[in-house]
Amino acid sequence: MAAIHNGADAIFMGVPGFNARGRSYDFQIEEVKEIIDTCHLYGVKVNLAFNILIFQNELHKAVETLEKILPLKPDAFIVQDLGLVRMIRQMAPHQRVHASTQMSISNAEAIQWLDDLGIQRFVLARENSIKEIQAIKQNTSKEIEVFVHGALCVSYSGQCFTSEGIGGRSANRGQCAQSCRFNYEMHVDGEKRDLNGKSFLVSPQDLCGINEVPSLLEAGVDCFKIEGRLKTPEYVATAARSFDEAITTAQKNHILTNPILLKKQMATAFSRGFYSGWFHGVNHQELVEGTFSAHRGFEFGKISRVNGNSLEVEITEENVAQGLKADFIKAGDGVLWVYNDRNGQSVEKGGFVFAVKTLNPRRFELEFSRDIAMDGLFLGARVFYNHDKDLKKDVALSVEDKQRKKRVPVFIRAEASLGQPLKVEYSDGKNTVTAYSENVCEAAKSKGLNSLDLREELFSLMGSPFRGEGFSCELDNATPLFLPHRQIKELRQQLVKELTDLRIQNGRTPEIGSAAQMGSWIEGKKTSARKASGVKLNLLLREKAQVEDVANAIKAGTLSTESLNLVILDFEFGLDFEPSLNLLREQGLKTAIATTRILKPNEHRNIKHLLNLNPDAILARNLGAVQYLQANAYQGQILGDFSLNVTNHLTAQYLLDKGLSSLCLGYDLNHLQVSELIQAGQADHFEVTAYQYMPSFHMEHCVFAAFLSKGSSFKDCGKPCEKHQVKLKDQFGNWHQIKPDQECRNTMFNATSQSAARFIKEWESLGLGYIRYEALKERETELIAKIQGHLDFINGKKDLESLIKDLGNVESYGLSESHFQREKEYQSRKK
């Protein structure tokens, strides 16, 4: 209701049982109907977030959910899983589908490649800048939606596996453990780096793009999206009305007055600090503040003097420049200040303001109750406004006050003539309802019907969702007309009800395929044929030195190539690709090169480089890369990586049918789910990563530049990534290596290696084509021993227990089966 009555044009909410809201209340179907009906009554659309990966054994359950929800007429589904898009298209061909930001769409090529799925709108990755958004929009006719406000994930959505690696809580399943908000220590080349109190190294400030609204409109953005998960009505209301005002103002080519006051109100509702995110490109010095990761409110000044029971505060230059004055705080409001205690530790303290005394336009004195002890240490502290005593009441009034609630404009027409019933029409611009009075109009003995009285009665809509906007009236002027007033009132009530029902009905009920039909369709897409040719090993290496280790071991005879299918090169820097390819080709090895995980507009130089090198195969990590390779007639094999998030046979079939040669299955699957998918799909084209350090975060944010330089981007950071090794130590004592890619994006790798060795033989018996060994930091003897151990195992020369023992003996932090051993879906505690 806060969204409806404060300017939102649409709301989005989770599909029961299938949404990325694992920690929040799950709606029941009856509640979904009530919400959709209420929103449609007020002309607000409802987009249902079906934005998680669908596992093989959930496909039929997803159909059952669709069968219940499609008749409720949601305006769109927001979907991550390509297989689910296919299901919705099959079941309800005319249903609108929006691609979730979880699809990691950051380029126009991916949108073009998915054109055959009929997706009408794409929610772009949050990391796209305004220039990139404009470039994408110029190359597609699809609608574009972008996030403009709320929490930022440090990792690309759909590419975060931290929670999965830590405890089987998949971010692709709505169960994010918010690992980006943890404390981390930074260790550079083996030594702990003092970061002056900054420990929240990968916790971005919240996004607030209200100043960017005009530029985003100019870039062609069709819809602005506000993140609202687990937030209060106050947050929803302040964000909705602030952006509604900003959009309306920009559309009129006017300048928004005092956006700082809108920011203040929104930040009071919730803020980890506001920043423009990636709208202006990367700025590694400003995105992550680093000293806190929770709500503090609106930062407005510093303490300039400490008195007996009061604090003098001076507004910062930046806030003064944006129009903030010292009259915005009232008695009863709450503030928080952050200072260093006697041990140099950052401490928060706060309280409710007892009285306010303005000293000058940018300086005021705040008096507190005497139970808050004042301390000289407060001098210079940062001050945040975090409680507006009137906000909760104001938001309640926006929903409850008849004068402030949203009301739908209606146009009313009345006709009356002697001997005919009174005819009245109500129209909302889309629906028109007509009614006639019970009695006919008679000749009046005194004063007859007149347009003013009719208008007043027919406009008496205060208790309804409507308001009179226009009125026309045709009365027979020859004879004054009489009709009982009660009948005019009854006409109004009847028409209000009919118009209400029509708006809730929202058009015809769509044609929907039955669950039985869909079940047959799903089963019919499975693959029954199985090739038992034996599983082969794909080897992924991350630096040239590892390639040299492998080549030398093959020459020396300490590494066999039996059952070694291909070697994949995934280097930080592209210069080493060509010599590495040559080394491997000399040993007769088939070789692939991996693309970057993200492709943005104007980032084609790397993929062009791969085309010029012409390897045997290219490992595509995003759909834009697939489209580019196919459009440029690449003749080698295109392999789909784990980042394409394949978790069911419908997704797998779609990708394989469109030209991919193999697919590395998604990292959200446990060993049972992998088995189910292998049995349903083209198993000989499937690959499972059997050994790796899981790539947890994949970030636009560069830890190297942020904390080892003063540079904002690769242009001025001095490239510390070329000189230093960086590890982050989390609050549980785990070490995570950070590695950059060729576009300076960082990947944080899980501290503990994981192995699927225990399940390989079962998968092989079901027809699995490939397993993958991913090296991270291993070198020389350790590297070769691990590779040869896997080859010996799949060739029957080493038993399972020996392999696990050998792997465990060389691991610094132990060996885990991680998500493979998770046999129960994580169940969060619902409110």
Side-chain angles (χ1 to χ4, degrees):
M1 299 308 287
I4 288 172
H5 294 295
N6 284 278
D9 299 301
I11 62 126
F12 61 110
M13 55 181 281
V15 167
F18 289 96
N19 62 76
R21 286 150 184 79
R23 295 182 298 124
S24 61
Y25 174 82
D26 224 353
F27 292 109
Q28 303 301 307
I29 296 292
E30 296 76 19
E31 293 173 298
V32 175
K33 174 175 171 39
E34 182 183 356
I35 290 169
I36 290 176
D37 288 351
T38 302
C39 286
H40 285 168
L41 174 59
Y42 285 99
V44 173
K45 293 183 178 180
V46 180
N47 301 332
L48 294 183
F50 214 141
N51 55 341
I52 63 170
L53 300 180
I54 309 297
F55 295 154
Q56 187 65 38
N57 64 357
E58 295 175 326
L59 292 173
H60 293 285
K61 184 182 175 185
V63 167
E64 291 171 7
T65 300
L66 283 169
E67 193 175 38
K68 295 174 184 175
I69 286 198
L70 282 166
L72 307 184
K73 302 176 189 174
D75 295 279
F77 285 106
I78 307 169
V79 183
Q80 174 183 13
D81 192 290
L82 299 179
L84 177 60
V85 179
R86 295 183 68 196
M87 284 171 55
I88 295 171
R89 280 280 154 267
Q90 181 69 22
M91 195 168 182
H94 301 294
Q95 174 64 52
R96 273 182 70 91
V97 174
H98 298 172
S100 169
T101 191
Q102 291 282 125
M103 272 195 197
S104 314
I105 302 295
S106 58
N107 55 74
E109 287 87 351
I111 296 174
Q112 181 182 338
W113 201 75
L114 295 171
D115 186 62
D116 56 344
L117 288 178
I119 298 170
Q120 285 93 346
R121 178 184 295 177
F122 287 81
V123 185
L124 296 182
R126 292 174 175 92
E127 292 80 358
N128 281 117
S129 69
I130 295 173
K131 288 182 179 178
E132 290 162 351
I133 292 167
Q134 185 170 29
I136 293 168
K137 183 62 179 176
Q138 287 172 348
N139 287 282
T140 182
S141 59
K142 303 290 188 180
E143 295 176 15
I144 295 298
E145 180 171 308
V146 299
F147 280 91
V148 290
H149 189 78
L152 279 177
C153 303
V154 76
S155 179
Y156 272 86
S157 296
Q159 303 299 317
C160 179
F161 301 96
T162 313
S163 302
E164 179 67 71
I166 287 174
R169 295 175 55 168
S170 168
N172 282 319
R173 300 279 291 173
Q175 299 151 355
C176 171
Q178 293 201 301
S179 311
C180 53
R181 309 297 179 190
F182 288 174
N183 286 293
Y184 291 92
E185 292 179 3
M186 185 174 186
H187 291 251
V188 182
D189 302 326
E191 294 185 8
K192 182 180 176 181
R193 180 62 59 101
D194 183 3
L195 298 175
N196 299 316
K198 293 185 176 182
S199 61
F200 300 98
L201 305 183
V202 288
S203 178
Q205 298 183 78
D206 289 345
L207 172 65
C208 182
I210 199 157
N211 291 335
E212 286 71 30
V213 165
S215 299
L216 289 165
L217 284 170
E218 190 177 339
V221 172
D222 297 283
C223 184
F224 294 160
K225 189 165 196 168
I226 293 169
E227 178 271 329
R229 196 170 310 161
L230 292 168
K231 299 297 196 301
T232 63
E234 291 76 45
Y235 171 93
V236 172
T238 56
R241 66 193 181 199
S242 295
F243 276 89
D244 184 48
E245 180 180 341
I247 293 165
T248 303
T249 301
Q251 287 172 333
K252 294 177 180 175
N253 292 318
H254 295 165
I255 295 173
L256 188 63
T257 56
N258 286 331
I260 189 70
L261 298 179
L262 299 180
K263 285 184 179 181
K264 182 213 75 169
Q265 195 171 64
M266 290 189 289
T268 305
F270 189 90
S271 169
R272 298 180 183 91
F274 280 163
Y275 187 59
S276 56
W278 289 279
F279 282 145
H280 302 289
V282 297
N283 188 325
H284 301 307
Q285 298 301 320
E286 294 186 2
L287 178 72
V288 172
E289 199 271 355
T291 63
F292 67 103
S293 66
H295 169 58
R296 277 186 176 173
F298 172 67
E299 184 172 2
F300 64 89
K302 292 186 182 299
I303 294 175
S304 56
R305 186 174 179 181
V306 180
N307 301 318
N309 65 327
S310 67
L311 300 171
E312 290 185 20
V313 181
E314 188 156 345
I315 300 175
T316 61
E317 290 282 358
E318 180 185 3
N319 285 326
V320 170
Q322 294 183 63
L324 190 69
K325 296 179 181 178
D327 57 0
F328 72 90
I329 289 188
K330 312 172 292 296
D333 289 347
V335 297
L336 173 148
W337 55 95
V338 182
Y339 65 99
N340 289 332
D341 65 14
R342 286 173 176 78
N343 297 317
Q345 298 298 310
S346 180
V347 180
E348 295 181 359
K349 196 172 185 67
F352 293 104
V353 176
F354 182 72
V356 183
K357 181 181 179 182
T358 301
L359 304 175
N360 63 47
R362 59 174 296 182
R363 189 183 177 102
F364 49 82
E365 183 177 9
L366 303 178
E367 184 181 338
F368 298 88
S369 65
R370 296 193 177 276
D371 59 353
I372 298 179
M374 294 297 154
D375 193 318
L377 291 172
F378 297 167
L379 200 63
R382 298 162 64 187
V383 188
F384 298 78
Y385 180 81
N386 69 349
H387 177 76
D388 182 337
K389 73 180 182 69
D390 298 324
L391 182 58
K392 198 177 189 78
K393 180 181 177 182
D394 178 64
V395 171
L397 286 173
S398 73
V399 172
E400 297 163 5
D401 187 339
K402 292 179 180 179
Q403 298 292 341
R404 292 181 56 181
K405 287 174 69 171
K406 176 175 183 172
R407 292 163 73 214
V408 178
V410 292
F411 297 84
I412 302 172
R413 187 170 182 274
E415 291 180 23
S417 59
L418 187 65
Q420 298 295 322
L422 173 64
K423 176 184 176 182
V424 179
E425 284 183 359
Y426 277 38
S427 175
D428 62 5
K430 181 179 179 182
N431 306 287
T432 300
V433 289
T434 306
Y436 298 86
S437 61
E438 183 181 341
N439 295 354
V440 298
C441 296
E442 301 174 356
K445 295 178 181 177
S446 57
K447 179 185 175 184
L449 289 175
N450 65 76
S451 61
L452 288 178
D453 290 342
L454 270 175
R455 182 183 187 279
E456 183 178 357
E457 179 57 47
L458 296 174
F459 266 42
S460 296
L461 299 169
M462 192 60 79
S464 78
F466 307 109
R467 61 175 172 81
E469 180 75 7
F471 181 74
S472 63
C473 181
E474 291 185 21
L475 294 179
D476 186 346
N477 295 321
T479 307
L481 302 175
F482 168 77
L483 190 71
H485 183 267
R486 172 182 56 81
Q487 292 195 22
I488 302 173
K489 181 180 179 181
E490 288 172 351
L491 274 182
R492 169 174 55 80
Q493 292 170 338
Q494 176 188 340
L495 290 169
V496 165
K497 183 181 184 308
E498 288 181 9
L499 191 56
T500 296
D501 291 344
L502 269 179
R503 291 181 66 84
I504 290 173
Q505 186 179 332
N506 197 35
R508 291 182 300 174
T509 301
E511 293 183 14
I512 300 167
S514 70
Q517 291 172 325
M518 283 302 299
S520 298
W521 181 81
I522 290 169
E523 294 302 312
K525 299 298 180 184
K526 288 184 176 179
T527 302
S528 55
R530 289 285 174 269
K531 295 180 182 178
S533 56
V535 72
K536 290 184 170 59
L537 179 72
N538 292 331
L539 171 62
L540 184 142
L541 303 175
R542 287 200 162 90
E543 54 186 76
K544 182 185 175 187
Q546 291 173 334
V547 173
E548 292 169 345
D549 291 338
V550 168
N552 291 334
I554 293 172
K555 287 179 188 175
T558 55
L559 180 64
S560 71
T561 57
E562 183 186 358
S563 296
L564 181 58
N565 180 54
L566 78 135
V567 179
I568 305 165
L569 307 181
D570 181 20
F571 295 171
E572 294 176 22
F573 311 109
L575 293 175
D576 290 334
F577 280 144
E578 188 168 11
S580 297
L581 275 174
N582 294 333
L583 271 174
L584 294 168
R585 283 170 172 163
E586 287 171 8
Q587 302 308 315
L589 292 176
K590 181 180 169 185
T591 309
I593 306 178
T595 70
T596 54
R597 213 181 317 177
I598 298 297
L599 176 69
K600 285 186 172 185
N602 304 315
E603 285 187 357
H604 298 95
R605 60 189 180 279
N606 290 317
I607 199 164
K608 285 179 182 176
H609 181 46
L610 304 194
L611 279 169
N612 292 333
L613 291 170
N614 195 29
D616 300 294
I618 292 178
L619 181 66
R621 288 186 160 150
N622 64 80
L623 296 178
V626 176
Q627 192 278 340
Y628 187 89
L629 291 169
Q630 291 179 338
N632 285 277
Y634 172 62
Q635 297 302 305
Q637 291 182 316
I638 302 175
L639 318 176
D641 207 3
F642 69 92
S643 46
L644 302 185
N645 288 320
V646 175
T647 59
N648 61 70
H649 77 284
L650 295 177
T651 300
Q653 183 194 49
Y654 175 78
L655 295 172
L656 291 171
D657 285 354
K658 291 191 69 171
L660 276 70
S661 298
S662 67
L663 297 170
C664 183
L665 301 186
Y667 286 171
D668 297 282
L669 301 171
N670 66 25
H671 74 99
L672 296 173
Q673 292 158 343
V674 169
S675 296
E676 290 165 348
L677 178 47
I678 290 172
Q679 292 175 79
Q682 300 174 53
D684 56 317
H685 293 277
F686 290 169
E687 175 188 34
V688 178
T689 302
Y691 180 92
Q692 67 167 328
Y693 296 85
M694 186 179 274
S696 304
F697 294 136
H698 187 64
M699 308 177 282
E700 191 73 27
H701 180 56
C702 180
V703 174
F704 293 88
F707 301 106
L708 297 181
S709 83
K710 296 188 182 301
S712 59
S713 71
F714 74 92
K715 297 176 182 177
D716 58 358
C717 70
K719 299 183 180 178
C721 57
E722 295 182 1
K723 309 178 188 75
H724 300 288
Q725 294 287 322
V726 168
K727 290 183 180 180
L728 300 186
K729 183 181 179 183
D730 67 28
Q731 59 199 44
F732 307 109
N734 301 311
W735 297 82
H736 307 274
Q737 186 164 346
I738 304 288
K739 288 180 79 71
D741 70 8
Q742 294 164 65
E743 292 295 344
C744 301
R745 297 181 184 108
N746 286 188
T747 301
M748 186 176 94
F749 290 87
N750 204 313
T752 305
S753 63
Q754 66 171 48
S755 170
R758 196 177 303 280
F759 314 110
I760 291 172
K761 289 299 180 182
E762 176 194 343
W763 296 335
E764 183 178 29
S765 71
L766 298 173
L768 179 66
Y770 310 100
I771 61 168
R772 184 190 297 181
Y773 173 96
E774 286 203 359
L776 179 61
K777 55 184 186 283
E778 306 96 303
R779 284 293 316 282
E780 299 173 335
T781 305
E782 179 188 354
L783 175 65
I784 302 306
K786 289 180 177 179
I787 299 169
Q788 190 62 57
H790 281 86
L791 287 169
D792 287 345
F793 177 63
I794 62 176
N795 289 322
K797 299 175 182 177
K798 185 187 287 279
D799 64 26
L800 174 64
E801 297 308 318
S802 298
L803 175 61
I804 292 175
K805 181 181 177 184
D806 291 347
L807 291 174
N809 286 341
V810 293
E811 287 300 335
S812 303
Y813 301 101
L815 188 68
S816 166
E817 289 178 350
S818 188
H819 64 101
F820 289 119
Q821 67 185 356
R822 171 182 51 80
E823 295 189 8
K824 290 185 178 179
E825 185 79 358
Y826 170 78
Q827 295 295 320
S828 57
R829 290 172 295 175
K830 299 285 186 180
K831 282 190 176 181

